[in-house]
Amino acid sequence: MASPVNTTDRLKHLRELMASSKYNVAAYVVPSEDAHQSEYVAACDERRAFISGFDGSAGCAVITMDKASMFTDGRYFLQASKQMDANWTLMKCGTPGVPVWQEYLTNHLPAGTRVGIDSTLLAAAEGGRLSAALKSRGGGDLVAIEDNLVDIVWGSQRPARPEDKAFIQPMEYAGESHTSKIARVREQIEKEGAEGLIVAALDEVAWLFNLRGSDIDFNPVFFAYAVIAKDKATLYIDDVKLTDAVRQHLSGIVVRPYGEIFGELSLLSASLVQSKRQVLAGQTASWALVQALGAENINIAQSPITRLKALKNAVELQGMRQCHIRDGVAMANYFGWLEDQLLNQDGNLRLSEVDAADKLEEFRRAQEHCVGLSFATISSVGANGAIIHYSPKRGSDALLDVTQMYLCDSGGQYLDGTTDVTRTYHFGQPTDWQRECFTRVLKGHIALDCAVFPSGTSGYGLDPLARLPLWELGLDFRHGTGHGVGSFLNVHEGPQGVSMRKTTVDTGFSAGMTITNEPGYYEDGEFGIRIENTCLVVKVDTKFDYTGGAGYLTFDPVTMVPIQKKLIKPELFTEVERKWLDEYHQTVWDNVSPRLEKGGLGYEWLKRETSAL
């Protein structure tokens, strides 16, 4: 991991802007997100990383005249502490006595404080709540600043905005036309008694119009908004991104420049007041969009597209199965190669974490329909494995060491699906404690995978299954247990999830969803363990049906990568768990081995690793 960036001059310049008569704010908020509340952002939108040096995917910076605070969760405590210099205070959210950034602004700053923010980067609902909270406490004010102050500090060094072309996701992979999707969305709008829907989330725009792009690394999306009304659908996208083929594909769709949505929403506001009807907007709509349309004219709620997109059709489900088989081929070739390099080719203490990650990408890109990676590979050895979302950088990455645990979290983007898989291996002799920890993580993984539950059960209710074996020893992990996965879209997809966070309470599982199963355990400064499969949510037959017809569900893993038996303590396994592992490995062998070169490193590695426990 690279040394901390010296942020002294950056913060000095930012504070000068804050204190100027033009802006006049005592605090300035720098979120992680872009104008679409994206989890991962384009290089030009990495403002929080620029101002602080911390480049994890989640966090919020609050800068006052005498303090700079970084709020992030347990996944990033180690990473943030290593990447930030002495100008910054790490606020460990979720630990006792530490507020989230919103509470900090309203309860820990002087009454009457003017807080500045770029309103395009703040979710609409959050903007409304925060503005009201500040005003109620001594007349404070949330100030929407049109100029992004970090962009001014960044100046000419800020990367240019992407101008890559959008491209069509054909029916052979999408499984449904965009006209059919728009019709289904209109049905949902009508049910809500609304005038239309503002679509701000980039993956929802891409899914709705059967288009993909490359504006954000690892996420096949493009910068655009959409407004779906009863009589027309409008796509706001810059002309430079449109090819002739895409223009033809969008026949019947009104196309406007990206930035015009704010002006057109302002014009629409008067007619909405007269009709006394509202426009729906998803939770990723920005405070700036609300300000343009008028808060009284908009209903912020979960976008109907969020759930429609989460429920994969038959073509998408088949695509997810097939791309994971090909991904399994890449992983077998990779781990066969890596083991040989470390044990037979003098690779131990010579190959670096980035060397290994680059080789894995090479094996992935050799697979049919592979477009690239679904996120930056977490290739981590020893203590780096305890940094949950570690991202190795060449020059500061560690050398692979057969005496240390190796954690690899990676995924691919394929035309027919998206993959996400984590495996933890030891190429030498693991300690008894490492084996016990690994076995307990695996027991939690198996327990969740084997769960049979009523349709509509939330991930909040299922999450303890994955933690119980760790809880028995007083251990745990500081991240969610599972997230949805897009279909050649974002690797993290909602609304479903498995987590102790209350945000997962409101979404129940339905057949056709995807979910990851990824419990872990991390010892700071020592090692990390995570075992992750991507699964489909499928119907299961039960002897009885107490649900009154809703039925029961279970998880069906589509990831095809062995789980290392060397790290398992068999005496901790039940017969059910042993049977699960052997059957899973047989499935991996049956699906992956026919696609490998017989006798090759990957084939022989897979043959050994999928043998019975």
Side-chain angles (χ1 to χ4, degrees):
M1 190 170 295
S3 301
V5 175
N6 187 332
T7 62
T8 301
D9 290 341
R10 297 175 185 182
L11 289 171
K12 181 176 180 289
H13 189 181
L14 178 61
R15 287 179 173 128
E16 289 171 353
L17 292 168
M18 291 164 57
S20 69
S21 58
K22 183 175 181 179
Y23 303 116
N24 186 27
V25 292
Y28 191 70
V29 180
V30 186
S32 300
E33 294 80 12
D34 60 15
H36 304 268
Q37 294 293 296
S38 304
E39 178 185 10
Y40 298 101
V41 298
C44 62
D45 290 320
E46 292 177 346
R47 299 177 178 92
R48 191 216 62 221
F50 168 79
I51 201 66
S52 70
F54 166 53
D55 62 6
S57 65
C60 183
V62 175
I63 299 96
T64 62
M65 289 304 174
D66 59 1
K67 190 174 182 180
S69 302
M70 178 61 64
F71 298 80
T72 191
D73 62 51
R75 296 171 297 169
Y76 298 102
F77 290 168
L78 278 175
Q79 180 180 343
S81 65
K82 290 185 176 184
Q83 289 185 324
M84 296 190 303
D85 67 8
N87 288 304
W88 289 85
T89 298
L90 176 59
M91 306 295 282
K92 296 182 177 181
C93 298
T95 59
V98 178
V100 294
W101 66 270
Q102 298 93 331
E103 293 170 342
Y104 179 79
L105 292 175
T106 55
N107 299 331
H108 292 74
L109 296 183
T113 298
R114 282 171 54 85
V115 178
I117 192 167
D118 179 343
S119 60
T120 66
L121 307 182
L122 183 64
E126 194 61 63
R129 284 192 297 266
L130 188 55
S131 179
L134 286 169
K135 283 178 179 167
S136 68
R137 190 178 180 274
D141 194 11
L142 184 63
V143 182
I145 299 178
E146 187 172 344
D147 302 322
N148 189 290
L149 302 190
V150 174
D151 289 352
I152 296 173
V153 174
W154 211 341
S156 61
Q157 299 303 307
R158 183 182 174 223
R161 192 171 182 80
E163 294 185 346
D164 298 341
K165 303 292 186 184
F167 56 92
I168 299 166
Q169 175 74 339
M171 281 286 290
E172 64 181 295
Y173 304 126
E176 181 183 11
S177 70
H178 67 284
T179 53
S180 172
K181 291 178 179 180
I182 291 170
R184 289 204 289 145
V185 169
R186 284 191 172 121
E187 290 176 2
Q188 297 299 313
I189 294 170
E190 186 63 30
K191 284 181 182 179
E192 295 293 331
E195 283 293 299
L197 171 69
I198 299 171
V199 188
L202 299 183
D203 61 334
E204 293 187 3
V205 175
W207 176 86
L208 182 62
F209 291 97
N210 282 350
L211 294 174
R212 299 294 188 268
S214 55
D215 283 355
I216 297 178
D217 288 345
F218 313 117
N219 298 269
V221 296
F222 51 92
F223 287 116
Y225 294 100
V227 174
I228 308 301
K230 295 177 182 179
D231 55 352
K232 70 175 180 178
T234 305
L235 178 65
Y236 295 89
I237 182 172
D238 286 334
D239 186 71
V240 70
K241 310 185 82 59
L242 301 177
T243 64
D244 289 342
V246 169
R247 291 179 194 279
Q248 184 175 356
H249 173 77
L250 293 172
S251 176
I253 306 297
V254 178
V255 179
R256 293 279 188 267
Y258 174 79
E260 284 192 7
I261 186 171
F262 296 98
E264 295 198 0
L265 289 180
S266 295
L267 294 174
L268 177 62
S269 62
S271 63
L272 288 173
V273 170
Q274 289 179 346
S275 67
K276 296 182 179 180
R277 287 164 69 92
Q278 292 182 314
V279 170
L280 300 176
Q283 292 159 335
T284 59
S286 69
W287 194 35
L289 289 170
V290 171
Q291 291 173 314
L293 188 60
E296 69 279 6
N297 298 320
I298 193 166
N299 177 17
I300 302 293
Q302 185 183 99
S303 167
I305 296 176
T306 303
R307 186 169 182 84
L308 292 175
K309 176 168 58 64
L311 296 170
K312 306 292 185 279
N313 61 47
V315 171
E316 291 172 317
L317 293 172
Q318 180 62 14
M320 289 293 282
R321 292 186 183 279
Q322 293 302 313
C323 76
H324 276 85
I325 293 172
R326 297 194 299 276
D327 207 59
V329 172
M331 295 293 286
N333 283 327
Y334 169 64
F335 279 114
W337 169 86
L338 183 60
E339 181 182 76
D340 180 64
Q341 287 290 313
L342 294 175
L343 300 183
N344 304 319
Q345 307 297 333
D346 298 320
N348 186 47
L349 298 177
R350 176 177 60 82
L351 287 175
S352 73
E353 293 166 328
V354 173
D355 291 335
D358 288 348
K359 190 66 177 181
L360 175 53
E361 180 174 359
E362 180 183 318
F363 281 121
R364 266 206 173 92
R365 287 186 178 273
Q367 298 303 309
E368 184 181 19
H369 300 324
C370 182
V371 176
L373 305 184
S374 56
F375 56 96
T377 298
I378 300 173
S379 172
S380 55
V381 64
N384 289 339
I387 303 173
I388 296 170
H389 277 195
Y390 172 73
S391 181
K393 302 290 191 296
R394 187 170 294 282
S396 61
D397 55 330
L399 297 177
L400 300 194
D401 183 346
V402 297
T403 69
Q404 301 289 323
M405 300 271 272
Y406 177 67
L407 186 155
C408 184
D409 187 347
S410 67
Q413 291 287 8
Y414 298 82
L415 294 176
D416 52 352
T418 301
T419 70
D420 186 1
V421 51
T422 308
R423 289 294 183 265
T424 306
Y425 290 103
H426 200 302
F427 296 99
Q429 294 302 316
T431 67
D432 188 71
W433 175 240
Q434 288 171 334
R435 292 177 67 221
E436 171 146 1
C437 293
F438 183 91
T439 305
R440 288 183 177 275
V441 171
L442 180 54
K443 285 169 72 70
H445 179 101
I446 294 171
L448 183 58
D449 189 87
C450 292
V452 175
F453 49 92
S455 180
T457 300
S458 74
Y460 184 84
L462 296 173
D463 186 84
L465 295 174
R467 299 179 190 266
L468 281 171
L470 290 169
W471 285 352
E472 290 172 354
L473 285 186
L475 305 178
D476 207 344
F477 53 94
R478 289 195 185 104
H479 59 74
T481 303
H483 58 82
V485 179
S487 178
F488 187 33
L489 272 174
N490 295 356
V491 72
H492 293 160
E493 179 178 272
Q496 72 275 22
V498 179
S499 172
M500 295 293 285
R501 293 181 179 180
K502 292 182 180 179
T503 52
T504 59
V505 171
D506 296 334
T507 300
F509 281 109
S510 297
M513 288 180 169
T514 58
I515 193 71
T516 62
N517 176 357
E518 49 180 308
Y521 174 67
Y522 311 88
E523 284 202 359
D524 291 354
E526 297 294 334
F527 62 86
I529 297 167
R530 188 159 62 251
I531 304 169
E532 177 186 20
N533 281 352
T534 298
C535 307
L536 305 184
V537 182
V538 298
K539 293 180 179 179
V540 61
D541 292 329
T542 54
K543 185 175 182 180
F544 304 102
D545 185 1
Y546 195 73
T547 67
Y552 288 79
L553 305 171
T554 192
F555 299 130
D556 183 9
V558 292
T559 297
M560 295 289 143
V561 184
I563 296 165
Q564 192 178 43
K565 301 190 296 293
K566 181 199 295 187
L567 280 167
I568 297 171
K569 294 188 76 171
E571 63 269 27
L572 295 180
F573 257 21
T574 65
E575 282 304 310
V576 170
E577 290 163 343
R578 181 187 291 268
K579 183 173 182 288
W580 181 94
L581 185 70
D582 287 344
E583 289 181 352
Y584 173 70
H585 278 160
Q586 186 63 51
T587 300
V588 172
W589 172 256
D590 291 344
N591 280 279
V592 177
S593 64
R595 297 172 180 245
L596 291 167
E597 179 186 353
K598 196 167 185 178
L601 291 173
Y603 183 93
E604 294 302 323
W605 176 86
L606 187 75
K607 184 177 181 180
R608 185 191 72 232
E609 292 297 325
T610 56
S611 63
L613 182 64

